[in-house]
Amino acid sequence: MLYPFNQRDLFVKVPRQVPCATTAQRCIRTNDVENVGRTARHHTFFEMLGNFSFGDYFKKEAIRWAWELSTVEYGLPADRLWVSVYEDDDEAFAIWHDEVGVPVEHIKRMGEDDNFWTSGVTGPCGPCSELYYDFLPERGHADADLGDDARFIEFYNLVFMQYNKKDDGSLEPLKQKNIDTGLGLERMARILQKVPNNYETDLIYPIIEKASELANVSYQHTDNRSKMHLKIIGDHLRAIVYLISDGVVPSNIGRGYVVRRLIRRAVRTGRLLGIKGDGRGNTDGAFLPSIAEKVIELSTDVDVDVKDRAPRILEELKREELRFVQTLERGEKLLDQMLADALLSAEQNKTVPCLSGKDAFLLYDTFGFPVEITTEVAEEQGVSIDMSSFDIEMENQRRQSQAAHNVVKLEVGDSGDLAEDVPDTEFLGYETLSARAVVESLLLNGKSVIQVSEGSDVEILLNKTPFYAESGGQIGDNGFLYATKGENQQTAIVEIKDVQKSLGNIFVHKGTIKEGVLEVGKEVEAAVDARLRQRAKVHHTATHLLQAALKKVIGQETSQAGSLVAFDRLRFDFNFHRPLLDSELVEIEELINRWIGDSTLLQTKVMPLDDAKRAGAIAMFGEKYGEEVRVVEVPGVSMELCGGTHVSNTSEIRGFKIISEQGIASGVRRIEAVAGEAFIEYVNARDYHLRHLCSTLKVKAEDVTSRVENLLEELRTTRNELSSLREKAALFKASIVANKAFPVGTLKEIRVLVEFMDDTDADSLKSAAEYLVDTLQDPAAVVLGSCPGEGKVSLVAAFTPAVVDLGIQAGKFIGPIAKLCGGGGGGRPNFAQAGGKKPENLSTALEKARSELIAVLSKKAS
């Protein structure tokens, strides 16, 4: 479900494991989420039952078995079934009519858009044939339209992959023809249970009943709009529960955004139904967990993992719902105001109502409103969204927050030809750190070359290698390649700085020619840097111990969300809803160091995947495994599917230390740690800094904390005293300049004071302004400026009530003045502060403030 797509997977060369297969796949689809609840058949979560042939049976067998399954096994009346075929697929038409016996009037030829499947612009493709169930056979066959949802439902799709689509669009027959079929479980349940839509089957209706109970409505007797809302909740909760069960955590990116969007859509839909709080009287509670309990109950007999993970699912749902509710009301009020403004503006300007992308992004970024929810609410009121400007806002945010990503890319002119010419690399690195190998290919700037000379950065493909290529979180090995001639005479030395996998299982050695010339076909001595490999092995085994310790200390439901095994540290991301306590971190460290001290021999085995799972080996969610897998076990502690390199005995790790623990996304935590040689280096560095600190403070190590706390307290006291002195000095200056105030206006005499206050800090400047407006009394206007430090400007404006009543606001007045000093600011109508970074412009700014005050007050008060 929603497994991450990797472009390199397109090039993986894997031999056929089985000639045919059957599957039951859980699927997520959200590109038409707006149809959920509105039609009888649209879902975000559905289960697809399929059978596949990989060069085994083909069209005739697939058609006959689909008919047998539908009419014999499921007992569907043959006269209720209709068939579609591709317009040019006479073979399929003939099989359906001549061999299966479907009447000609029940077979429809349809065009490419409906009945021809393609994998992309190029690649495998072929015609489709679909089975439809007729709910209204009494209408007869004349002018029957299979696209009429009120009458027909497509429940079975047969894809006949018999062609390869080339770059020019032409089709060539595949040497090996394949079958791919899909039968919708929810659709078949609707047909067999004789209900009007998929939602009223026993797969979803119990969930709807639970939501109805919390909303205090009857599904059967409520209006169509409320029925739609109940269907949305029934559908979305199935998707949400299975997503979280499979390890997808709500976030703002990728799969995480899918589940967050569905949760927030369900929360808002529940509120539209009138569900408050948890629906049981606790207005501060969450209602989604109560409905999720019903989903979990329904799944128990078909997926025991969901029940086992129930505590984590319910906790994640509760936390995400309550987090969204905190901003939902404010966001809804703001959206209502935005839509009202858009409608009013459109009416005044005789235009089509449209909400700006900037407003939609504000709702998304500040209030957590998925833009799809904003779009739905807006469309209900006849307002569109400027999605192009929203996308611009999103892209700007991505640029600001985008983290660096390592992208593995083999830039060859024709990777397909290279994949055929270069076999998979034989990996020897589990047994040895050096080996003789032959240079199969050289790549310079992504182009295949015959030889590379000194100073060039090059990518090298060998027939075999002891170098580990980056995978499973472990970085690639470093080392050297030595090309020799005759009696150990070196002709080239290549420093290898990275190794990556590409085009399946081809190892790409990335390095620099340090000496000589390297040629294709030459034999080289490949030597891994043993010290760095050991550091990687230590950190990889320590990562396994860390996962085992986390499960033991904070709960078995926690799972890996990512990792990095480097030479200098390890990083482990895991699903958990809160920061770890100091006591938990201590317990985790103690556990791991105890396991290290136990000097346990590791066991590594290669076994069938099913056997490994039965033995309890942990698999990484989203990873793809072959039928044979490598299992790394620390007996009594940990057992994981892993292709990485590991120590032979836990004692080689020497020591383990957590250096940080932090949140990196909603529900995802990250631990960074060091082990082995990196652990020794870390401890030595910390010891050096502590000894230096002890020398500086002239205390013992155990007294450093109390000494630093005392110094901080002394510093706080001194700062408070200094601040008090500065404020007194500012007030003294204010008392001196108060007599510089001058009157403005004839009908109402307003006292105005604009002054430079030397290096007075911002807080003291504020106190001085407050003192002056009190001293000068109402009506009065005060503007003060100072230079509290190098490259700093502070400004303050204080206006009494009578001045504000004239329509002059301090917040609006001070902003343009501050711009002259390279800054800005604002505040309330009666008081505002601003800053700047051009002290040289302060005198000009204050003069402008004086002249503008005189001008505006003279006009208003005369």
Side-chain angles (χ1 to χ4, degrees):
M1 177 190 300
L2 288 174
Y3 289 116
F5 174 75
N6 186 332
Q7 282 191 322
R8 287 179 291 157
D9 292 346
L10 294 175
F11 301 106
V12 175
K13 298 184 295 179
V14 178
R16 184 182 71 174
Q17 303 295 319
V18 292
C20 50
T22 58
T23 61
Q25 301 177 62
R26 295 200 296 262
C27 307
I28 293 289
R29 174 188 171 102
T30 59
N31 60 331
D32 52 3
V33 67
E34 69 279 356
N35 289 325
V36 171
R38 298 178 187 272
T39 71
R41 58 182 177 81
H42 277 90
H43 299 290
T44 59
F45 173 87
F46 56 94
E47 295 187 71
M48 187 65 71
L49 313 179
N51 57 281
F52 301 82
S53 167
F54 312 110
D56 187 32
Y57 62 86
F58 192 52
K59 198 173 294 186
K60 181 183 294 187
E61 294 86 352
I63 289 174
R64 292 173 64 180
W65 292 342
W67 185 260
E68 180 183 347
L69 180 64
S70 301
T71 58
V72 178
E73 300 300 328
Y74 290 135
L76 302 185
D79 60 355
R80 290 277 190 120
L81 302 184
W82 289 62
V83 174
S84 70
V85 297
Y86 181 53
E87 56 192 359
D88 294 336
D89 194 354
D90 295 332
E91 181 186 6
F93 191 102
I95 296 170
W96 281 116
H97 177 57
D98 298 338
E99 300 191 28
V100 175
V102 178
V104 171
E105 58 268 21
H106 274 218
I107 305 176
K108 293 280 187 180
R109 291 182 183 267
M110 300 177 75
E112 186 173 344
D113 289 343
D114 296 300
N115 278 66
F116 195 90
W117 180 88
T118 62
S119 59
V121 179
T122 60
C125 59
C128 306
S129 186
E130 295 160 333
L131 276 166
Y132 291 79
Y133 185 81
D134 186 356
F135 292 106
L136 301 170
E138 62 273 14
R139 291 187 182 179
H141 60 268
D143 299 322
D145 179 10
L146 296 181
D148 180 0
D149 284 351
R151 178 177 177 181
F152 295 103
I153 186 170
E154 174 205 337
F155 66 89
Y156 210 161
N157 184 20
L158 315 178
V159 179
F160 311 125
M161 276 187 276
Q162 60 190 80
Y163 300 114
N164 177 54
K165 192 173 186 180
K166 296 162 61 172
D167 289 333
D168 60 3
S170 62
L171 303 178
E172 62 179 1
L174 286 174
K175 295 177 183 177
Q176 180 175 284
K177 295 179 173 58
N178 305 309
I179 290 290
D180 177 351
T181 78
L183 184 149
L185 176 65
E186 291 79 8
R187 298 184 183 198
M188 181 56 75
R190 171 190 173 188
I191 295 168
L192 294 176
Q193 295 173 26
K194 297 180 172 60
V195 291
N197 56 69
N198 296 2
Y199 297 93
E200 295 183 35
T201 66
D202 57 9
L203 293 168
I204 305 174
Y205 193 63
I207 308 168
I208 289 176
E209 286 186 309
K210 184 64 181 180
S212 301
E213 175 191 324
L214 296 179
N216 198 27
V217 297
S218 165
Y219 174 81
Q220 296 299 340
H221 299 98
T222 193
D223 57 83
N224 287 335
R225 184 170 179 78
S226 293
K227 282 185 178 179
M228 179 185 72
H229 290 149
L230 289 166
K231 291 174 184 175
I232 289 171
I233 290 177
D235 168 88
H236 285 14
L237 262 293
R238 289 180 83 211
I240 292 163
V241 165
Y242 277 100
L243 281 165
I244 296 176
S245 175
D246 278 352
V248 182
V249 179
S251 71
N252 284 335
I253 57 173
R255 298 172 300 171
Y257 180 65
V258 172
V259 68
R260 171 162 286 172
R261 173 187 172 192
L262 293 177
I263 289 172
R264 295 188 171 185
R265 198 166 188 263
V267 171
R268 180 177 177 272
T269 303
R271 290 170 67 87
L272 292 175
L273 282 167
I275 301 176
K276 299 295 184 183
D278 65 357
R280 296 170 175 170
N282 179 9
T283 56
D284 294 326
F287 73 91
L288 293 185
S290 298
I291 303 174
E293 287 174 352
K294 177 58 68 174
V295 181
I296 294 167
E297 177 188 325
L298 292 171
S299 71
T300 300
D301 292 334
V302 292
D303 191 338
V304 294
D305 288 339
V306 177
K307 185 176 182 180
D308 293 341
R309 297 162 184 163
R312 177 166 61 85
I313 295 169
L314 299 177
E315 182 62 33
E316 192 68 56
L317 264 176
K318 178 181 177 182
R319 184 170 52 257
E320 186 69 14
E321 178 181 345
L322 294 180
R323 181 186 290 122
F324 182 47
V325 166
Q326 291 174 1
T327 58
L328 179 59
E329 288 186 5
R330 285 186 293 148
E332 286 178 328
K333 289 177 182 176
L334 179 59
L335 176 56
D336 288 342
Q337 183 59 53
M338 288 175 174
L339 295 176
D341 291 344
L343 288 166
L344 179 62
S345 175
E347 183 179 349
Q348 292 173 344
N349 299 317
K350 306 299 181 185
T351 57
V352 177
C354 182
L355 188 68
S356 73
K358 192 170 185 178
D359 285 343
F361 180 76
L362 173 67
L363 289 164
Y364 166 80
D365 195 44
T366 304
F367 297 97
F369 268 49
V371 69
E372 295 83 5
I373 289 181
T374 301
T375 301
E376 287 179 34
V377 178
E379 287 177 349
E380 289 169 4
Q381 298 192 34
V383 180
S384 63
I385 306 288
D386 184 356
M387 288 305 300
S388 60
S389 62
F390 174 82
D391 291 339
I392 291 172
E393 295 289 337
M394 282 291 290
E395 184 60 31
N396 289 339
Q397 187 197 56
R398 286 191 192 102
R399 286 200 192 101
Q400 293 169 6
S401 62
Q402 187 177 26
H405 293 285
N406 291 326
V407 179
V408 179
K409 188 176 182 182
L410 183 60
E411 296 180 338
V412 293
D414 190 341
S415 58
D417 291 344
L418 183 63
E420 294 297 325
D421 295 341
V422 181
D424 288 348
T425 310
E426 181 184 357
F427 178 57
L428 308 173
Y430 292 138
E431 296 82 24
T432 182
L433 295 182
S434 64
R436 303 292 297 178
V438 175
V439 177
E440 296 281 358
S441 182
L442 295 172
L443 301 171
L444 189 64
N445 298 322
K447 304 296 182 182
S448 183
V449 296
I450 300 299
Q451 65 176 27
V452 184
S453 57
E454 185 174 322
S456 299
D457 292 330
V458 63
E459 294 177 336
I460 304 164
L461 279 60
L462 305 175
N463 65 330
K464 53 188 174 182
T465 183
F467 283 83
Y468 182 83
E470 181 175 325
S471 60
Q474 181 177 331
I475 66 174
D477 279 328
N478 288 188
F480 287 88
L481 300 181
Y482 302 99
T484 58
K485 178 181 180 182
E487 295 296 323
N488 295 325
Q489 182 182 353
Q490 292 182 353
T491 59
I493 299 177
V494 186
E495 184 178 11
I496 302 299
K497 286 296 187 182
D498 188 21
V499 185
Q500 298 285 343
K501 280 186 183 179
S502 194
L503 302 179
N505 203 36
I506 297 173
F507 286 38
V508 183
H509 304 72
K510 300 186 177 186
T512 303
I513 309 291
K514 292 296 185 180
E515 293 181 17
V517 176
L518 187 65
E519 298 179 358
V520 172
K522 290 292 185 181
E523 190 175 62
V524 295
E525 178 73 21
V528 173
D529 186 318
R531 181 167 165 270
L532 292 181
R533 165 68 78 83
Q534 180 65 17
R535 292 172 77 112
K537 288 164 60 176
V538 162
H539 281 138
H540 206 149
T541 306
T543 301
H544 285 210
L545 298 182
L546 174 57
Q547 175 159 228
L550 282 166
K551 287 181 174 292
K552 196 172 184 68
V553 173
I554 64 175
Q556 289 295 321
E557 69 275 7
T558 189
S559 59
Q560 181 177 347
S563 68
L564 170 69
V565 176
F567 303 133
D568 60 338
R569 73 194 190 285
L570 68 88
R571 187 176 73 209
F572 187 79
D573 301 339
F574 58 100
N575 298 311
F576 202 57
H577 59 275
R578 62 167 174 81
L580 269 61
L581 304 175
D582 288 343
S583 59
E584 290 171 330
L585 292 172
V586 169
E587 186 177 355
I588 289 167
E589 284 185 344
E590 288 178 346
L591 259 177
I592 294 172
N593 283 307
R594 186 191 314 154
W595 290 333
I596 292 170
D598 287 342
S599 300
T600 304
L601 285 170
L602 273 71
Q603 297 179 7
T604 303
K605 305 173 186 174
V606 175
M607 62 177 72
L609 177 60
D610 290 341
D611 289 353
K613 288 182 176 180
R614 279 193 292 270
I618 296 174
M620 173 65 178
F621 172 74
E623 283 290 321
K624 296 178 180 179
Y625 300 98
E627 288 195 347
E628 294 282 318
V629 294
R630 184 169 180 263
V631 178
V632 176
E633 181 180 8
V634 182
V637 177
S638 165
M639 181 188 291
E640 296 191 31
L641 306 185
C642 183
T645 62
H646 289 269
V647 298
S648 301
N649 190 300
T650 58
S651 62
E652 293 178 42
I653 301 174
R654 302 165 72 183
F656 175 90
K657 181 67 181 175
I658 294 172
I659 58 178
S660 69
E661 191 275 337
Q662 61 183 330
I664 58 168
S666 176
V668 181
R669 309 294 301 176
R670 169 173 290 173
I671 284 178
E672 291 201 1
V674 288
E677 196 171 323
F679 164 77
I680 302 299
E681 292 168 352
Y682 177 80
V683 171
N684 287 340
R686 293 289 288 260
D687 181 64
Y688 169 79
H689 291 302
L690 181 58
R691 283 189 283 108
H692 184 69
L693 193 59
C694 291
S695 175
T696 302
L697 297 176
K698 295 180 171 52
V699 294
K700 296 178 181 178
E702 57 267 28
D703 297 327
V704 166
T705 302
S706 59
R707 178 60 177 144
V708 170
E709 288 174 348
N710 290 336
L711 287 172
L712 288 174
E713 183 58 37
E714 291 174 12
L715 182 59
R716 279 191 290 268
T717 301
T718 302
R719 283 178 173 170
N720 290 337
E721 291 173 353
L722 182 58
S723 178
S724 177
L725 289 172
R726 284 175 176 168
E727 185 175 343
K728 289 177 181 178
L731 293 177
F732 178 72
K733 290 179 185 177
S735 66
I736 295 175
V737 301
N739 59 8
K740 293 185 179 181
F742 54 89
V744 175
T746 55
L747 294 178
K748 183 184 289 186
E749 192 174 271
I750 301 170
R751 286 165 292 283
V752 176
L753 179 64
V754 179
E755 279 295 322
F756 174 59
M757 296 285 287
D758 301 320
D759 60 352
T760 303
D761 65 272
D763 289 338
S764 300
L765 198 67
K766 175 177 178 288
S767 299
E770 291 171 343
Y771 167 82
L772 285 167
V773 291
D774 288 343
T775 301
L776 297 176
Q777 299 183 343
D778 198 11
V782 175
V783 176
L784 303 177
S786 67
C787 299
E790 187 176 350
K792 292 183 179 180
V793 172
S794 288
L795 288 162
V796 64
F799 297 165
T800 59
V803 174
V804 175
D805 289 343
L806 292 175
I808 308 170
Q809 296 187 9
K812 293 182 179 179
F813 181 83
I814 201 67
I817 304 301
K819 282 185 179 179
L820 295 174
C821 297
R828 304 186 305 274
N830 66 317
F831 193 90
Q833 288 181 281
K837 50 190 177 184
K838 296 180 178 179
E840 66 272 16
N841 294 349
L842 180 56
S843 60
T844 303
L846 290 176
E847 187 56 42
K848 181 175 177 61
R850 181 180 289 105
S851 61
E852 287 197 1
L853 277 176
I854 292 172
V856 71
L857 292 175
S858 296
K859 183 178 180 180
K860 298 273 188 181
S862 298

